[in-house]
């Protein structure tokens, strides 16, 4: 998929300006595929996480944002221009799922916070099943990503962080055969475990 004009502008000009305020370094960049569509699944610590996840390369990353943010017309225009998809949290949002499906069908990258909300303590939360459901339905792999705050377990607004990319989880590894709820839940726990494995406890103490 091609960049939206504002997304392309942000990658070239805005990201270097923002970096000093949300410093991060990456690990495992070699695990990011350059020629495949996939779903990027990560934990969620703060509002600056989407900017850190956009460091994956030149390709545009689309991701879900809570629908409440789109109530302001100006902000809604900005978010949509940056590839954000509004989603109603806490219930099945068919429109958001259809939009994500379109992104994947056109070879794009879909970013999903697998916990569905921010962790205000830095601890991992229970995973949701939306990401694995999309991976199963569209037969695309999942890239597990862990965002770890540096120097403290509790994330802050401008915390330093490490963004660690794990190895791709191929659709066959998810163990989904019939698309049952129990299979989705088990698969989401598998993805969450891969994300958790990427966190180095020593990083939180630096």
């Amino acid at each position: 998929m091609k960049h939206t004009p504002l997304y392309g502008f942000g990658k070239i000009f805005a990201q270097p300006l923002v970096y000093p305020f949300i410093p991060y370094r990456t690990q495992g960049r070699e695990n990011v595929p350059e020629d495949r569509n996939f779903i990027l699944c990560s934990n969620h610590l703060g509002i600056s996480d989407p900017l850190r996840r956009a460091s994956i390369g030149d390709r545009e990353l689309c991701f879900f944002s809570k629908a409440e943010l789109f109530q302001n017309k100006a902000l809604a225009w900005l978010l949509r221009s940056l590839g954000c998809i509004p989603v109603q949290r806490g219930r099945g949002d068919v429109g958001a799922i259809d939009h994500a499906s379109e992104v994947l069908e056109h070879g794009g990258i879909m970013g999903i916070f697998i916990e569905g909300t921010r962790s205000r303590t830095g601890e991992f939360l229970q995973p949701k099943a939306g990401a694995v459901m999309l991976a199963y339905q569209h037969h695309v792999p999942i890239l597990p990503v862990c965002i770890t705050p540096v120097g403290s377990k509790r994330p802050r607004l401008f915390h330093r962080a490490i963004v660690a990319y794990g190895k791709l989880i191929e659709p066959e590894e998810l163990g989904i055969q019939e698309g049952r709820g129990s299979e989705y839940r088990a698969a989401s726990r598998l993805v969450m475990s891969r994300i958790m494995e990427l966190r180095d406890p020593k990083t939180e103490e630096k």
Side-chain angles (χ1 to χ4, degrees):
M1 294 183 68
K2 295 182 179 180
H3 287 172
T4 60
L6 189 59
Y7 190 97
F9 175 84
K11 288 289 291 186
I12 298 173
F13 298 104
Q15 197 168 24
L17 297 175
V18 171
Y19 176 81
F21 301 98
I22 54 165
Y24 62 90
R25 59 187 176 90
T26 60
Q27 297 176 347
R29 283 286 297 272
E30 67 277 6
N31 293 318
V32 180
E34 298 180 358
D35 56 356
R36 301 178 64 184
N37 58 335
F38 60 91
I39 298 171
L40 185 154
C41 273
S42 75
N43 59 319
H44 192 12
L45 301 177
I47 59 175
S48 56
D49 289 345
L51 293 173
R52 294 188 174 94
R53 297 196 315 180
S55 66
I56 60 172
D58 294 331
R59 298 168 66 190
E60 182 168 348
L61 172 67
C62 299
F63 51 88
F64 289 134
S65 295
K66 60 182 180 180
E68 293 85 347
L69 295 176
F70 291 79
Q71 293 176 355
N72 179 285
K73 291 184 178 180
L75 182 58
W77 174 84
L78 176 63
L79 291 172
R80 287 193 171 92
S81 298
L82 292 173
C84 299
I85 299 172
V87 60
Q88 296 284 348
R89 297 186 300 177
R91 59 184 178 87
D93 189 332
V94 176
I97 294 297
D98 287 345
H99 196 156
S101 296
E102 184 178 351
V103 169
L104 294 171
E105 288 171 1
H106 286 81
I109 306 171
M110 191 66 216
I112 297 178
F113 292 117
I114 193 170
E115 298 154 307
T117 188
R118 283 183 286 164
S119 170
R120 301 186 184 280
T121 65
E123 301 294 333
F124 295 106
L125 306 178
Q126 289 294 321
K128 307 298 183 183
V132 298
M133 181 185 69
L134 284 168
Y136 168 69
Q137 292 177 346
H138 298 281
H139 202 72
V140 297
I142 289 177
L143 180 70
V145 178
C146 184
I147 301 173
T148 303
V150 176
S152 173
K153 289 185 177 181
R154 186 181 296 274
R156 301 178 299 277
L157 180 59
F158 300 113
H159 62 271
R160 291 184 297 139
I162 291 178
V163 182
Y165 299 93
K167 294 185 180 299
L168 283 180
I169 305 172
E170 297 294 343
E172 296 80 7
E173 297 181 65
L174 296 174
I176 303 173
Q177 301 294 327
E178 300 178 6
R180 298 195 303 266
S182 58
E183 293 178 327
Y184 288 146
R185 289 190 292 272
S188 64
R189 290 193 294 268
L190 169 66
V191 175
M192 195 72 208
S193 69
R194 298 288 180 87
I195 294 172
M196 295 170 68
E197 290 171 0
L198 295 170
R199 173 167 290 185
D200 183 353
K202 296 180 182 178
T203 302
E204 299 169 344
E205 301 170 359
K206 294 180 180 180

